[in-house]
Amino acid sequence: TMRLLPSPALTASLLAASALPRAPTPRLAVWDTFDHTYDNVQYSAKIQSASPLTGSAKCPPIVCIPPLGVGITRRFYEPLHREWAALGAPGELHTPELCGNGDSKPKRRRFYTPELWADQLLDYCANEVKRPCILVVQGGLLPVALEMWKKGGSSCIAGVSFVAPPALRFFK
């Protein structure tokens, strides 16, 4: 079964897993941007490794699904990367770009579906993350997270945190 973690619960569970107080300055937080390919589309992903000093194997990796909108890309999560570094980077943090958005190329004139993006991110998780992760998703891309859970199950998805989830009537 999938665990649904509201944002405060996500933060609390990650801090409890790492048992770390907030650091006033980043503690050897290291991140880099790598290029990946899916369905002949090249896209980037920013990966922040767990700190060798403060990271914990108990803390599952976090994969942030970027919101969609005019000019919105995976860079939406840059403030989160900075805050994660200030926490001491207790676990891996991944922010991949979605095909057809941001710096992905080529930008085909096609309709990208939640199923296609879910398949892209499942491929990313299988090849880069390589263990069950927590998805962080905003309301508009909730169908992508649910499709990932439906296809990948608990062997891929450890939990989902909805940021600004849709109204509860959406679930009825």
Side-chain angles (χ1 to χ4, degrees):
T1 61
M2 177 177 63
R3 295 184 309 164
L4 302 178
L5 304 171
S7 296
L10 170 67
T11 304
S13 69
L14 293 173
L15 288 175
S18 62
L20 295 173
R22 182 178 166 88
T25 57
R27 296 194 229 167
L28 290 180
V30 177
W31 56 78
D32 207 344
T33 303
F34 298 96
D35 288 329
H36 299 274
T37 303
Y38 178 78
D39 194 28
N40 296 317
V41 175
Q42 185 178 1
Y43 67 96
S44 67
K46 185 172 185 174
I47 303 168
Q48 186 170 355
S49 301
S51 169
L53 295 178
T54 60
S56 170
K58 294 179 192 174
C59 186
I62 297 175
V63 175
C64 299
I65 300 175
L68 288 178
V70 177
I72 298 178
T73 69
R74 68 172 174 76
R75 297 186 195 285
F76 174 83
Y77 289 110
E78 289 296 320
L80 178 60
H81 276 282
R82 288 191 297 274
E83 289 299 313
W84 199 241
L87 285 170
E92 295 173 23
L93 179 62
H94 298 256
T95 52
E97 192 64 81
L98 294 174
C99 289
N101 292 291
D103 61 8
S104 71
K105 54 189 173 219
K107 288 188 177 54
R108 297 185 190 140
R109 294 175 189 247
R110 70 186 273 189
F111 181 69
Y112 288 92
T113 63
E115 294 82 10
L116 185 134
W117 282 324
D119 290 341
Q120 172 202 347
L121 294 173
L122 285 169
D123 179 76
Y124 176 82
C125 289
N127 293 305
E128 184 64 46
V129 181
K130 299 181 181 172
R131 64 186 181 122
C133 63
I134 293 176
L135 297 177
V136 175
V137 61
Q138 289 207 316
L141 286 176
L142 172 64
V144 174
L146 294 177
E147 188 69 20
M148 287 180 71
W149 175 62
K150 182 173 114 181
K151 291 181 175 184
S154 60
S155 64
C156 181
I157 309 301
V160 177
S161 178
F162 300 138
V163 180
L168 287 177
R169 67 181 176 274
F170 175 84
F171 295 101
K172 293 181 180 178

